[in-house]
Amino acid sequence: MDEELGGISEEYYDIPPVKYEYLDHTADVQLHAWGDSLKEAFEQCGMAMFGYMTELEYVQIKDVHTIEASADDLMGLLYHFLDELLFLFSYEPFLICKKLVITEFNTQEFKIVCRCYGEEFVIGKHPQGTEVKAITYSAMQIIDDPKDNKYEVFVIIDI
Amino acid sequence: MVVRQYNEEIKYLEKINPYCWRIKKGFQPNMNVEGVFYVNSTLEKLMLEELRNCCRPGMSGGFLPGVKQIANVAALPGIVGRSVGLPDVHSGYGFAIGNMAAFDMDDPKSIVSPGGVGFDINCGVRLLRTNLHEKDVLPIKEQLAQSLFDHIPVGVGSKGIIPMNARDLEEALEMGMDWSLREGYVWAEDKEHCEEYGRMLNADPSKVSLRAKKRGLPQLGTLGAGNHYAEIQVVDEIFDKYAAGKMGIESIGQVCVMIHSGSRGFGHQVATDALVQMEKAMKRDNIETNDRQLACARIKSVEGQDYLKAMSAAANFAWVNRSSMTFLTRQAFAKQFKMAPDDLDMHVIYDVSHNIAKVEEHVVDGKLKTLLVHRKGSTRAFPPNHPLIPVDYQLTGQPVLIGGTMGTCSYVLTGTHQGMTETFGSTCHGAGRALSRAKSRRNIDYKEVLNKLETMGISIRVASPKLVMEEAPESYKNVTDVVDTCHAAGISKKTVKLRPIAVIKG
């Protein structure tokens, strides 16, 4: 843990509504996430990934960790953001996230800083869903359209 | 990108014989060689339908049918022979799954591509035999399944139970099964019956990122999830008595254990890391491909060499993994039957890889050449008398283990000389998916699947109920179709058919 949980106010326990779905793909699954901003679409995409690994209603918020991701372009940024989240789960602290809050979202320099709220994954407490093996660039789409207020991402994850 | 109408596209495809189609140059741009795919009439319909669906107006890019992917691979620099699609071929990242492609190591333009190996490096199958018969196991089948499930860590978030630290991992990555042998987890003869003797010598752990090692360490000795499994199987049919006898398979009803697993998060991270490096290398070396996902590097470049060394380390990880599970399986059986695994004759019949790149010698246009053979969702199938296969299989050819889908059947095949010529000694790997996972989750009820398995007398222990629907046999092509096609096409020979009586999945 890199922060005192006591420093988080009540509102951080509010879980945002679900703004993602899973789309058909032959061998793997495509995450489709959206939001009122591109930042929110990214956050929802991260949650979509965790939602496939377990059932989120069984996850509580007991820990918070901060991750950083950077890249050379926007697709790379989404890719590395999800990869960092996957790593948070695969290695210490083995964190399964209930909520993601991106605190820095820089689409000029392609950098993200994100606060990840959740707890350590425990077999028996958390249902075992499907394992995510890797993030891919396959059919990746990022729709950033302020004119039509459309912010969506499509990512295929290898399972 | 599919740009032509179906009627135009089909002109580039030609049926050579009832089991084989060729893909002519021009089907995709820049093809250096032709493509070929092996199908029977059922599988043929699926292939062509996939193509037809993609030719309809309004279909967006990103999803390419298997035939197109085989053709894109044929456009890669340095490819020789043909880009081969095996009967279980289906759409994947860049390379289709069930795609073999070989590159001339003497051609400076030749490339190596992580997409041609797959994310799950050295995903493979190991088959153990026993001297038990189905009737010995039936009375305690449930306990045995439970025992296996308790011994072998499975599913999302599972961690290995064999104690290891970072130093052990480094050694395991370098030594492969030699590490397992040193630590006492395997028998010396297990190595004999494993491709590469369970260790790729050019493995270099220093070429593997810290991130991959961190992801790998907790997972060593775990089964994984998805389509990985451990199954207690019985011999259902023997097609070739002599070859089966050489494998120690003597009678119908004989009990075997099949383990299907790979290099877990470790292999995935190695592949991911390499793809990032290679994208940069492609810009620098002016390598162009038809698809961003066919990221590759010149074999002789730093990126290419680093990948091969890291890939070998990941291959070693997978062999150590399957060896650890072999150990746990032997323990589970020993406890239940109160006999030593030795007395149960629990020997390794063979261990095959179906996601790997190997340096092999093959005859191309009458000349012996050294090739880098990429097999993604494709198994090596060397013929009789090949120097790289164990002594006891010299007369029969290499055993090829084909895992079926949950609740169906599995096969053991042997390699043939025809396969060596036509596909550089490669054959299928399994069933190949037909339905998407999301569709399966929606259309198939998991209780129905479990009930069906129960009526077939198959005990199942699964970590994730949702997985049961995704992995239902209905979601896959028919493995018997796939294997029969390989047999009919002459690229491998049916030897034994196995039927599961217990399934452990993640």
Side-chain angles (χ1 to χ4, degrees):
Chain A
M1 239 183 84
D2 59 354
E3 210 162 306
E4 284 298 315
L5 209 55
I8 299 168
S9 55
E10 273 295 316
E11 71 201 29
Y12 279 92
Y13 287 93
D14 284 343
I15 307 302
V18 169
K19 291 185 182 176
Y20 56 81
E21 61 178 356
Y22 303 106
L23 299 177
D24 271 356
H25 186 270
T26 325
D28 299 308
V29 69
Q30 185 169 46
L31 309 177
H32 174 211
W34 56 91
D36 297 326
S37 64
L38 194 60
K39 175 175 100 77
E40 191 181 5
F42 270 50
E43 286 166 353
Q44 289 288 337
C45 193
M47 290 315 298
M49 187 178 76
F50 286 114
Y52 211 73
M53 298 197 277
T54 186
E55 272 156 75
L56 294 174
E57 59 237 40
Y58 291 85
V59 180
Q60 296 174 294
I61 295 181
K62 291 201 179 145
D63 263 350
V64 62
H65 284 261
T66 304
I67 56 145
E68 277 181 34
S70 57
D72 297 327
D73 57 29
L74 197 58
M75 280 202 195
L77 186 59
L78 178 59
Y79 180 94
H80 287 284
F81 170 60
L82 292 174
D83 197 41
E84 287 297 328
L85 292 175
L86 185 59
F87 192 68
L88 206 57
F89 175 80
S90 310
Y91 184 70
E92 286 281 348
F94 303 110
L95 197 77
I96 182 91
C97 295
K98 182 83 172 181
K99 175 170 165 160
L100 300 170
V101 178
I102 294 177
T103 55
E104 194 182 314
F105 188 70
N106 190 331
T107 49
Q108 307 299 334
E109 282 160 48
F110 307 111
K111 186 163 178 254
I112 284 178
V113 176
C114 180
R115 296 257 283 265
C116 311
Y117 298 87
E119 60 173 327
E120 185 180 338
F121 187 83
V122 173
I123 296 179
K125 175 175 184 184
H126 303 115
Q128 287 176 286
T130 309
E131 179 163 46
V132 175
K133 294 180 187 169
I135 319 298
T136 77
Y137 280 108
S138 177
M140 185 186 276
Q141 279 186 330
I142 301 178
I143 300 173
D144 184 11
D145 192 357
K147 222 171 5 84
D148 290 331
N149 209 39
K150 258 179 83 170
Y151 305 97
E152 293 177 50
V153 299
F154 294 83
V155 170
I156 294 181
I157 52 175
D158 189 5
I159 52 176
Chain B
M1 249 321 238
V2 176
V3 292
R4 294 183 286 248
Q5 290 292 325
Y6 180 73
N7 294 334
E8 282 296 306
E9 297 282 21
I10 200 83
K11 289 190 186 143
Y12 289 90
L13 304 179
E14 183 194 324
K15 192 166 178 169
I16 313 178
N17 67 49
Y19 297 102
C20 191
W21 285 66
R22 65 189 267 250
I23 303 172
K24 295 185 235 187
K25 290 186 188 176
F27 187 58
Q28 283 292 95
N30 311 314
M31 284 171 71
N32 293 317
V33 297
E34 288 192 337
V36 70
F37 60 97
Y38 294 90
V39 284
N40 64 5
S41 48
T42 321
L43 299 167
E44 176 186 297
K45 287 197 190 72
L46 287 170
M47 280 294 266
L48 298 178
E49 200 182 300
E50 214 187 19
L51 178 64
R52 199 177 279 119
N53 284 338
C54 276
C55 290
R56 286 209 232 104
M59 293 302 293
S60 53
F63 170 62
L64 276 178
V67 276
K68 284 286 178 182
Q69 293 194 310
I70 296 170
N72 279 341
V73 167
L76 290 172
I79 188 170
V80 295
R82 297 167 306 179
S83 171
V84 177
L86 284 317
D88 45 0
V89 67
H90 63 98
S91 192
Y93 303 119
F95 279 67
I97 295 163
N99 200 168
M100 185 290 299
F103 298 81
D104 185 353
M105 300 269 302
D106 291 323
D107 181 345
K109 285 202 280 49
S110 284
I111 56 97
V112 57
S113 175
V117 169
F119 275 104
D120 193 357
I121 297 171
N122 194 7
C123 183
V125 180
R126 176 174 288 204
L127 187 64
L128 308 173
R129 64 167 184 262
T130 70
N131 55 16
L132 297 165
H133 197 272
E134 191 175 2
K135 56 177 167 34
D136 303 320
V137 168
L138 275 178
I140 57 161
K141 189 163 66 86
E142 290 300 321
Q143 292 95 299
L144 193 54
Q146 188 61 43
S147 181
L148 263 186
F149 190 67
D150 292 336
H151 274 77
I152 299 177
V154 300
V156 180
S158 57
K159 304 203 190 103
I161 54 177
I162 291 177
M164 282 196 89
N165 57 34
R167 230 272 300 269
D168 293 324
L169 183 64
E170 288 286 317
E171 291 181 340
L173 292 178
E174 194 180 320
M175 297 168 62
M177 266 177 88
D178 281 337
W179 181 87
S180 303
L181 183 60
R182 190 189 78 186
E183 298 295 308
Y185 294 123
V186 294
W187 304 338
E189 52 267 44
D190 292 350
K191 278 186 42 171
E192 289 291 309
H193 285 178
C194 185
E195 283 188 33
E196 309 292 318
Y197 303 106
R199 174 182 182 174
M200 283 182 91
L201 296 170
N202 65 330
D204 186 347
S206 71
K207 303 296 179 196
V208 175
S209 68
L210 185 59
R211 172 166 284 216
K213 290 174 187 169
K214 283 182 171 178
R215 264 186 89 179
L217 184 55
Q219 295 183 334
L220 196 54
T222 64
L223 185 60
N227 61 4
H228 293 157
Y229 57 74
E231 278 188 1
I232 303 176
Q233 303 175 334
V234 302
V235 175
D236 199 50
E237 232 182 299
I238 297 178
F239 303 101
D240 183 340
K241 261 190 94 69
Y242 178 69
K246 283 290 177 189
M247 298 176 198
I249 293 177
E250 306 287 347
S251 52
I252 308 281
Q254 187 174 347
V255 174
C256 295
V257 180
M258 184 176 271
I259 298 168
H260 174 213
S261 182
S263 53
R264 314 286 287 99
F266 185 86
H268 285 86
Q269 196 64 51
V270 166
T272 303
D273 294 339
L275 286 171
V276 170
Q277 290 300 311
M278 288 186 178
E279 290 217 335
K280 298 192 188 124
M282 283 172 80
K283 291 199 181 90
R284 180 195 69 209
D285 296 340
N286 288 320
I287 304 176
E288 277 182 21
T289 62
N290 292 347
D291 183 350
R292 178 179 184 167
Q293 301 194 70
L294 286 171
C296 57
R298 305 272 181 226
I299 298 178
K300 300 272 154 66
S301 69
V302 170
E303 292 81 7
Q305 290 294 304
D306 282 355
Y307 169 66
L308 286 170
K309 291 176 186 162
M311 184 207 79
S312 297
N316 288 351
F317 183 103
W319 280 311
V320 170
N321 211 30
R322 289 201 281 280
S323 297
S324 302
M325 286 187 282
T326 303
F327 172 73
L328 295 168
T329 301
R330 284 172 175 153
Q331 293 293 304
F333 269 69
K335 281 196 191 139
Q336 284 298 314
F337 289 96
K338 302 190 175 45
M339 287 169 70
D342 214 353
D343 295 327
L344 292 170
D345 190 35
M346 288 187 78
H347 279 88
V348 175
I349 293 179
Y350 207 61
D351 179 312
V352 294
S353 312
H354 50 237
N355 271 5
I356 201 153
K358 298 264 191 101
V359 176
E360 293 172 359
E361 288 193 343
H362 290 274
V363 175
V364 181
D365 298 329
K367 287 206 282 276
L368 192 65
K369 285 190 164 282
T370 308
L371 306 178
L372 181 65
V373 183
H374 292 65
R375 292 192 182 92
K376 175 180 176 178
S378 166
T379 316
R380 190 187 77 177
F382 277 169
N385 306 120
H386 195 285
L388 291 180
I389 62 178
V391 161
D392 22 356
Y393 300 137
Q394 281 289 308
L395 294 177
T396 55
Q398 181 209 313
V400 180
L401 312 172
I402 305 297
T405 50
M406 192 172 70
T408 59
C409 52
S410 301
Y411 287 87
V412 181
L413 314 175
T414 43
T416 61
H417 290 290
Q418 187 175 346
M420 197 66 180
T421 342
E422 284 193 31
T423 60
F424 296 134
S426 316
T427 190
C428 61
H429 80 298
R433 288 201 70 94
L435 270 188
S436 77
R437 290 184 182 272
K439 209 177 255 168
S440 301
R441 279 192 183 195
R442 286 197 295 271
N443 299 347
I444 305 174
D445 181 65
Y446 88 94
K447 289 203 199 69
E448 245 181 73
V449 177
L450 289 176
N451 285 339
K452 199 160 153 201
L453 289 170
E454 218 183 310
T455 48
M456 293 195 289
I458 302 173
S459 306
I460 176 153
R461 296 289 185 280
V462 60
S464 161
K466 274 198 212 137
L467 194 71
V468 164
M469 303 176 297
E470 293 179 14
E471 293 295 315
E474 292 83 354
S475 308
Y476 283 84
K477 294 180 185 166
N478 184 333
V479 67
T480 303
D481 259 335
V482 170
V483 164
D484 284 344
T485 307
C486 290
H487 184 97
I491 57 177
S492 48
K493 235 170 58 152
K494 286 192 327 194
T495 305
V496 176
K497 178 177 170 197
L498 299 152
R499 163 175 62 83
I501 56 172
V503 179
I504 283 89
K505 283 188 77 67

